[in-house]
Amino acid sequence: MILPIITYPNKQLKTISRTVTDFDEELHRFLDDMFETMMQSNGIGLAAIQVANPIRALILCIPDDEGNQEKESLIEIINPVIHNPQGTTLYQEGCLSVPGFYEDVERFETLTLHYQNRHGETCVMEADELLSIAIQHEIDHLDGKLFIEKLSYNRRKKFEKEYKKALKDKK
């Protein structure tokens, strides 16, 4: 089922998500719905809060070298915790909750991620490049933060002006 994606400036996006404790059929269905929603929206990642469910769950499906996203590449991440972040990298990010806006954001280059899968099993992953960036972007959502908050003061003010104008033009 396709879920509605909450968009900026909806205050729900500021919600700090709660830890997942039940790894049941309801969670599995929700993760499946998140995948359908993300693919329908041409995204590579989606946090549960973006579809109005404030739980610490996110999904990622990084495109392969040809730009394809296969369900076999889907990573479901529950209760993530970043360890050993290193280096920095700059990447132009976008967000399904801030449609049509892209900006360079500085993130850690590499990290180790501890998390649980849909069955509650503990997992560890090493991440770099786009995977590392996407993990950090989605975890920010779980912590009630958007990538636009990482912009400089002047760039943020410019964004606010451009975004309000774009919303007004849509009407």
Side-chain angles (χ1 to χ4, degrees), residues 2 6 9 40 79 81 121 162:
I2 305 296
I6 297 171
Q40 175 79 26
N79 301 326
V81 178
E121 300 161 340
E162 290 172 1

Side-chain angles (χ1 to χ4, degrees), residues 82-134:
I82 291 175
H83 293 273
N84 198 28
Q86 295 185 341
T88 58
T89 187
L90 203 60
Y91 191 83
Q92 188 173 72
E93 295 185 24
C95 181
L96 296 176
S97 290
V98 190
F101 185 76
Y102 301 88
E103 187 62 56
D104 288 341
V105 176
E106 189 173 289
R107 300 274 186 190
F108 292 114
E109 192 169 21
T110 63
L111 58 84
T112 302
L113 187 70
H114 294 234
Y115 65 101
Q116 291 170 284
N117 65 17
R118 69 166 45 210
H119 304 290
E121 300 161 340
T122 300
C123 304
V124 177
M125 169 195 313
E126 301 295 324
D128 63 4
E129 300 177 344
L130 182 54
L131 179 58
S132 172
I133 291 162

Side-chain angles (χ1 to χ4, degrees), residues 5 12 39 54-55 68 70 73 96 101 127 145 158 164:
I5 296 175
Q12 274 185 282
M39 295 308 289
I55 61 171
N68 300 317
E70 304 298 331
S73 302
L96 296 176
F101 185 76
K145 298 182 179 112
K158 187 176 180 209
K164 282 178 185 162

Side-chain angles (χ1 to χ4, degrees), residues 116-158:
Q116 291 170 284
N117 65 17
R118 69 166 45 210
H119 304 290
E121 300 161 340
T122 300
C123 304
V124 177
M125 169 195 313
E126 301 295 324
D128 63 4
E129 300 177 344
L130 182 54
L131 179 58
S132 172
I133 291 162
I135 286 168
Q136 293 169 77
H137 177 106
E138 300 306 333
I139 288 176
D140 276 355
H141 278 299
L142 302 182
D143 294 333
K145 298 182 179 112
L146 293 171
F147 81 103
I148 55 174
E149 295 172 45
K150 295 193 171 294
L151 303 178
S152 69
Y153 176 80
N154 288 339
R155 187 62 194 108
R156 178 75 187 267
K157 288 297 173 201
K158 187 176 180 209

Side-chain angles (χ1 to χ4, degrees), residues 19 37 49 66 102 114 155 167:
T19 300
T37 302
I49 190 60
E66 285 81 46
Y102 301 88
H114 294 234
R155 187 62 194 108
L167 288 176

Side-chain angles (χ1 to χ4, degrees), residues 48-78:
I49 190 60
Q50 290 178 273
V51 289
N53 189 348
I55 61 171
R56 294 193 71 77
L58 64 94
I59 61 170
L60 298 168
C61 193
I62 304 298
D64 63 21
D65 292 337
E66 285 81 46
N68 300 317
Q69 289 174 282
E70 304 298 331
K71 183 132 189 191
E72 297 75 45
S73 302
L74 175 66
I75 306 168
E76 297 171 331
I77 298 173
I78 319 257

